[in-house]
Amino acid sequence: VLSFKMSVEVEQKFLFDSDTLKAIEDIGDCVGQKRFHDQYFDTPDFQLTLRDVWLRRRKQSWELKCPIDPVKGAAETGREQSLCTRYKEITNLPEIYQRVKEVIKDAREDCDADVPPSDEDDSWLSKLKLCCFAEFTTTRRSFTLKGEDGVKIDLDQADFGYHVGEIEVLVPEGGDIQSAQEKIRHTAQRLGLNQERRVEGKMTVYLKRYRPEQYAILLSAHVL
């Protein structure tokens, strides 16, 4: 059985303007800007995304984001749950391949005995009937916060005309997710963010604009 360490990404998205940017620059340090191209893959009947599983290729590197189970015994308010998202992040390709095969119902039997794919080999995509359903480029400015260890702020501008910010904390597998959520809540307060509901991410906006059928199906399944 494959077993690799993974991290949990806890994040809250926010909309930003010039005032928010000034607040971020006051309490944080810009650690760089980068541009990257993302492709997302699923089966024609949305077997991955209907389970809130997101398979992405960025700069020839693969990542699988899977929902995590609710925190046992966590005394969370509905508001905290609704503002933050929490996903396991898997970046090891053989592990990604194994997880995707587990999710896809009609993965062919001969997949069980085959060799895990390499970064240079895309044949596994067609074998599992995976095709690209979303593709866009993002320009990202990243900040770390003074006096708040482990918190990162990203300001994203997607090439389809949507911009959104993210406050993110990466937690090692088995780590303290509640503490991460508290750091995010505190950061949001410092930035003067006063959100009552979750802000749409780039993918939600992309699907709504360019893949309305998939958007409607995921919305009715309460994935979005």
Side-chain angles (χ1 to χ4, degrees):
V1 176
L2 291 167
S3 180
F4 296 94
K5 280 292 183 186
M6 66 189 82
S7 55
V8 174
E9 174 194 76
V10 185
E11 71 174 28
Q12 177 178 324
K13 300 186 189 303
F14 62 93
L15 300 177
F16 61 91
D17 56 20
S18 57
D19 290 339
T20 324
L21 182 56
K22 184 179 186 310
I24 293 170
E25 289 171 340
D26 285 346
I27 67 171
D29 296 309
C30 183
V31 291
Q33 178 170 304
K34 59 185 176 181
R35 197 164 177 263
F36 48 84
H37 186 72
D38 289 333
Q39 294 174 297
Y40 287 82
F41 294 81
D42 202 352
T43 61
D45 54 350
F46 318 132
Q47 290 192 44
L48 295 182
T49 53
L50 272 171
R51 290 167 179 78
D52 203 12
V53 173
W54 303 87
L55 175 63
R56 183 185 74 202
R57 176 163 58 187
R58 174 181 294 174
K59 291 184 179 176
Q60 299 307 307
S61 295
W62 290 93
E63 180 176 278
L64 191 70
K65 295 175 77 164
C66 311
I68 67 166
D69 298 325
V71 184
K72 292 183 176 64
E76 288 182 325
T77 67
R79 185 171 180 275
E80 284 173 325
Q81 284 182 318
S82 67
L83 291 181
C84 281
T85 58
R86 301 174 304 210
Y87 286 94
K88 292 177 189 170
E89 291 189 331
I90 305 169
T91 55
N92 178 278
L93 186 53
E95 174 79 349
I96 288 171
Y97 181 57
Q98 191 65 40
R99 296 283 182 129
V100 170
K101 284 198 301 179
E102 288 168 6
V103 173
I104 295 175
K105 278 182 268 181
D106 56 355
R108 295 192 346 227
E109 293 297 323
D110 61 349
C111 290
D112 291 333
D114 61 5
V115 178
S118 66
D119 288 330
E120 298 78 31
D121 176 21
D122 285 348
S123 62
W124 63 285
L125 295 172
S126 56
K127 192 181 295 182
L128 296 177
K129 298 185 174 67
L130 293 165
C131 49
C132 178
F133 68 88
E135 190 168 2
F136 51 85
T137 298
T138 300
T139 302
R140 168 173 290 176
R141 289 180 69 193
S142 296
F143 297 80
T144 55
L145 289 197
K146 301 161 184 167
E148 192 71 85
D149 191 40
V151 178
K152 187 170 76 129
I153 296 177
D154 292 328
L155 301 181
D156 285 356
Q157 175 72 55
D159 63 357
F160 55 89
Y162 184 64
H163 67 271
V164 66
E166 300 173 351
I167 307 169
E168 177 185 292
V169 177
L170 281 180
V171 181
E173 189 177 9
D176 190 346
I177 289 174
Q178 278 186 285
S179 171
Q181 290 184 161
E182 179 58 31
K183 284 183 176 183
I184 289 172
R185 189 186 65 78
H186 181 241
T187 301
Q189 282 184 335
R190 291 176 71 189
L191 294 178
L193 302 176
N194 198 15
Q195 293 175 205
E196 292 302 321
R197 55 184 178 169
R198 188 180 294 179
V199 167
E200 292 179 327
K202 298 188 294 292
M203 177 55 69
T204 301
V205 174
Y206 183 95
L207 290 173
K208 191 188 291 188
R209 291 185 188 176
Y210 305 111
R211 303 277 298 188
E213 181 200 359
Q214 185 173 1
Y215 173 78
I217 288 170
L218 296 180
L219 197 65
S220 64
H222 307 292
V223 174
L224 299 178

